[in-house]
Structures are given as structure tokens and as C-alpha cells.
Amino acid sequence: MTARQRVQALLCAGALALLAVAAVGDRFWLQLFGKAMITCIFAISLDLLVGYAGLVSLAHAAFFGLSAYALAGLTNRLQLVNPLLTLPLALAAAALAALCIGWLSLRAAGVYFIMVTLAFTQMLFYLFSEAPWFGGSDGLYLSQKPLLSILGRPLLDLGNRTAAYLFIFAALVLSYFFLSRLLRAPFGRVLAGIRGNEQRTRALGFSTARYKLTAFVIAGAVAGLAGYLDAALYGFVNPAELGWRQSGLLLMTVLLGGRGTLYGPILGAFLLTFLEHYGARLTDHSSALIGAVVILVVLFLPRGVAGLVERGGRG
Amino acid sequence: MAEPILELRGLSRRFGALRAVDKVTLAFERGRVHAVIGPNGAGKSTLLNLLSGELRADGGSVHFRGEDVTRAPPDRLSRLGIGRSFQTATVLEGLTCEETLRLAAQSCLRSSMRFFRPSDRYPEVNARAERALGECRMTARRSARAKDLSYGEQRQLEIGMVLATSPQLLLLDEPLAGLGHDEALAVVDLLRAIAVEHTLVLVEHDMDAVFSLAAAVTVLVNGKVLETGTPAQIRASPAVREAYLGEEEP
């Protein structure tokens, strides 16, 4: 098998396994795999920036969190439960925030870009922790989960565990196809050029700043999708979701899985979700366990878990 | 005299107290190879960076086909028809030759803000990339990763990238620098073929190459134009000999 076929086989097997979880319908597994899939969507959106556009952003949790808060606000204050309304509005909020933060932070390059994105994340974290109308550090519960009904009959009820799980699954499949198409399209090729050599790509006639900002906004919107799903799955949002720790953990997920591959961060997301869950059962210091795994992977698998898949699992 | 495609009027750029380019007035004619030579530190690279928009001028102006483009950024100049190659190999890591040229050829699309159809399914992009691949004589190496190419091949690809943007004027920054004898011959041959259909501005150290390729030569010394003329006139000029050629030719 070629590396490409191996990846496709792995993704198909993974998708079938995820559907099998839905068929079994066990509450615990639906929750754990649902959470893992949300992390997958979140991680592949960051991979667009880190792995393809060469932008290491620590602001990514902000778009996840803002979208989650947008859903909470729309549900609790405006009694909007229809996902056909709340989903586009939450994504628009994330995209708008990404446009503003990206427009300002992309003026800086390299390590300064990382610092500016970190500063924005911290600002938002304190804003949401301190301001009472966002629930403060306790966060907010959703008064109702998104519900789509036509003529009084429920069509999609995210309060239903299996429905929510399948909705998340569909969102992951769509996000993956959207991003992999995007990367092969002219837009994605320009990003590849920017990663290779931005100055050269600019001299070929591409306004690289605009392409980077557009990538930042698209990645922010997809991160917003993950945040929306997270709030819908748990019915709860809290400020930690938009803090820099969340951004840092996500960056680790992408590096652990293998940046610039799209499927690598998916593997990383599953690996970290399970490490977190089972690590917490084994020891009170699961963060140390995760840290050790990350150090080992970075030292011995510089291209992440994806590097293993590409070499066919041989050393 | 043919109509100038690019005109510089009193173009200047200083770095601190150094006048790197000092009130340069020059006209590059359409359809010609015009070389810019000069000793190290004469301001050749600065001049090229001013023309391609990598640097901003402090004074004077640049006119491309009559339009003032003094303040235009590099991407806009490329879209207007001024393509430039870089001296240091700037091939795009991770891409193959074919992918690299297809990216350059995407400049024929009105915008590359296209998110769905794969880039290899745009017939006009493919056609342009294929033509550039042939023009830079890299067809046999299409699937090679750009970073695995030899130094000479990287230069050819670099020139191919410029050609794929369909420029009206090519600015070439020392296309022969660092090449071995055979590689340099191949690139000179390539440049001669390109010159048939294109206007070239060539910044170069290699005197033999310059005198065999160029129809006009400008000598730059201390940021100023010392003399402009045909290769024969430049060779015969006592001022040039003293300022520049004397060091190289006994």
C-alpha cells in the first residue's frame, strides 16, 4: 500500500468505528468519542494555520470559546434554539473575531505574531472570567439545547445523545472534506507557497497578507464550529475554553499528530482525549503523563504520529 | 529608438548616510536585453529591489508602460507584468517543480481566492504551467521536489516561475551567480532563448555572459550611472575600464 492509500484506509476504518459507537449507543462512549471528534474539528482548523500557512497562533481557543458563548447568549437571552439560526450566527461571531484579531496580529511576524495572539487570548479570557453578564468564572448553562423542529415535529434535537453524536460526526466529515478540498484548490496552493517562501510567493503576484488573513478567518470559523458543538454537547460554557491553556493544548495536539497532514491532528486529538481520560483514572497527575508523551513524540517522531503512518508503522 | 517599457527618473534610495542608488535615470527598451553591471556595492541589488517593489524609493519615480508604479508593492508589479527572479535560490520547499510552476501560473486567474476546484483542474493554469516547464527545460524533472534539484536546476526553475506569470518584463538578479561552468552555459543558453520573446533586465557579475547576451549595458558605480551603451562601447570606454573592468580584465 502507498502512504496515501494507508491514510485513506485508516480514515475509512476510523469513520466506520465511530458509526459503530453510535449504533451501540452507550452513553459514556458517545460522550467520550463526541468530545474527541469535536477536538478533531478544532485541531484540523488549527492545522490549516500551523501546518499549511506557517502561522503558529495561540488565539485559536478564542474563536472556539466565542462561538460557544454566542450559542449560550442566543439561547439564554434571545430564546433562539433553531440551529439553522444559531449555528450561522455563532460561526459569524467566530469569523468576525478572527478577522479583527487576525488583521491586527498578522502585522507582526514570527515570535511576535505568537505573542500578539497570546495577548488577545488572555484579554478575552479575563473579560469573560470577570464580566458578570457572561457568568463570570463559573460559566453559563444553556437553558435549552439546539432544536430544529418543523411543524412542531422535532427534526434534529441536540439534546438527544445519539442525534448530537451523529451531528458532530457529520460536522467532522464535512470539515475534513472542506479543508482537504480547500488545500488542493488555488487558495491552498498559495498557502503552500507562503509556507515555502512568502517573499517569493508575493513576487509571483499574490497579495500574501490577504491570503493569510483569509486562512485565519476560515480557521477561526471552523474552530467556531467546534466550539458550538462543544457547548451543544455539554450544555455548558466556561471561560477556560477560550484561555491560552486550551490554545496551547490544541497546539500540542496538532504537533503530536503531525502538522501539515490534516489526518495527523485527528489522530492526535483521539490520542490526547484518551490520554486525558484514562490518565486521570491512573494518576492524579495526568498532565505530567501527557507532557511525557508529548516530549517523547517530539524527540522520536518529529513528524508526529502521522509520520508513523506514512512509514507504514515500521520504526 | 524603440519605446521604453520601463523608465526610471531620478530614482534614489539611501540607507542611513549611504546613497545606495543615487538619482538614477534610465530607460529600458522593449524587446531588448539590458544588463546592469558594476563592482560590488555599486547598488545593483538595491536598484533591482526598487524596481520589483521589495524596497521603497526615497525619491524619483518608476514608470512601467507610461504608468507611475513607484509605490506599487511586489504582488501588484507582478500582476502588471514585471516578473523578477531572485539571486539566492528561493524555490518553494515541499513543492514539486510542476506544483511550483502551477502555483506561479495561477496568476492568470483573476483571483486565487478559489476554495473548491483543485488547482490542477483549471485548464488555463495547466497549459501555462506546462509551457513554462518546457521553456525552462525542466519537463523531465516535473515530479522532482524543488529542494532536491541541483543548483543549476533550481535557477532554471526560478526562471520558469517568472515565465509562468507571463511577464512583459523580466528582472533577473544574477541568474549565474554560484553556478559551475556547464550549469552557467545551460542558463545562458536558456536566457538567450527567452530573450527572443521577452524584455530582460539582467543584473549580473559574469562579464562574458553579459557581453554575449545584452544589447545594452549600464554601468553603475557608487549608486550612480557611469555610462550606458552597447557592449562594444562599454568595453572601449576608458571611464568604465578605470572604474570597473580594470579590476577584472588585465
Side-chain angles (χ1 to χ4, degrees), chain A residues 26 111-112 148 166 251 302:
Chain A
D26 177 75
V111 72
Y112 298 100
L148 175 63
L166 289 174
L251 193 57

Side-chain angles (χ1 to χ4, degrees), chain B residues 194-216:
Chain B
I194 291 166
V196 174
E197 289 187 14
H198 294 88
T199 308
L200 266 55
V201 172
L202 183 67
V203 168
E204 187 49 70
H205 257 309
D206 186 327
M207 285 300 134
D208 294 337
V210 165
F211 287 126
S212 78
L213 280 168

Side-chain angles (χ1 to χ4, degrees), chain A residues 177-178 181-208 210-211 214 218, chain B residues 54 73-75 78-79 84-86 90 92-93 95 99 103-104 106-107 109 111-119 121-122 158 161-162 165:
Chain A
F177 277 107
F178 168 67
R181 281 297 284 223
L182 176 96
L183 288 165
R184 290 168 60 204
F187 178 77
R189 303 325 295 164
V190 175
L191 291 188
I194 291 174
R195 183 175 61 165
N197 186 323
E198 180 170 356
Q199 186 193 22
R200 189 72 191 90
T201 304
R202 196 160 179 229
L204 292 175
F206 302 106
S207 168
T208 51
R210 280 181 50 214
Y211 286 86
T214 307
I218 291 173
Chain B
E54 304 289 336
D75 50 299
S78 170
R79 292 195 296 274
R84 90 160 272 186
S85 75
F86 286 80
T90 54
L92 305 172
E93 204 162 311
L95 301 189
E99 287 168 340
L103 170 62
Q106 270 177 215
S107 54
L109 303 173
S111 160
S112 279
M113 290 282 181
R114 293 163 192 245
F115 304 102
F116 202 68
R117 191 174 8 146
S119 72
R121 290 196 210 150
Y122 286 84
E158 176 77 35
M161 285 163 82
V162 185
T165 65

Side-chain angles (χ1 to χ4, degrees), chain A residues 79-156:
Chain A
Q79 276 74 47
L80 281 179
V81 291
N82 185 344
L84 290 182
L85 287 173
T86 54
L87 181 58
L89 285 172
L91 294 197
L96 184 67
L99 182 67
C100 298
I101 292 179
W103 187 72
L104 287 166
S105 39
L106 283 168
R107 284 153 196 274
V111 72
Y112 298 100
F113 172 78
I114 302 176
M115 297 318 291
V116 174
T117 56
L118 176 63
F120 274 113
T121 318
Q122 282 297 75
M123 264 167 54
L124 284 169
F125 172 74
Y126 284 111
L127 177 68
F128 278 80
S129 321
E130 305 292 328
W133 58 90
F134 298 125
S137 55
D138 294 337
L140 285 173
Y141 282 93
L142 267 68
S143 59
Q144 199 190 341
K145 292 202 174 170
L147 170 69
L148 175 63
S149 48
I150 289 176
L151 304 171
R153 288 190 51 196
L155 204 65
L156 172 69

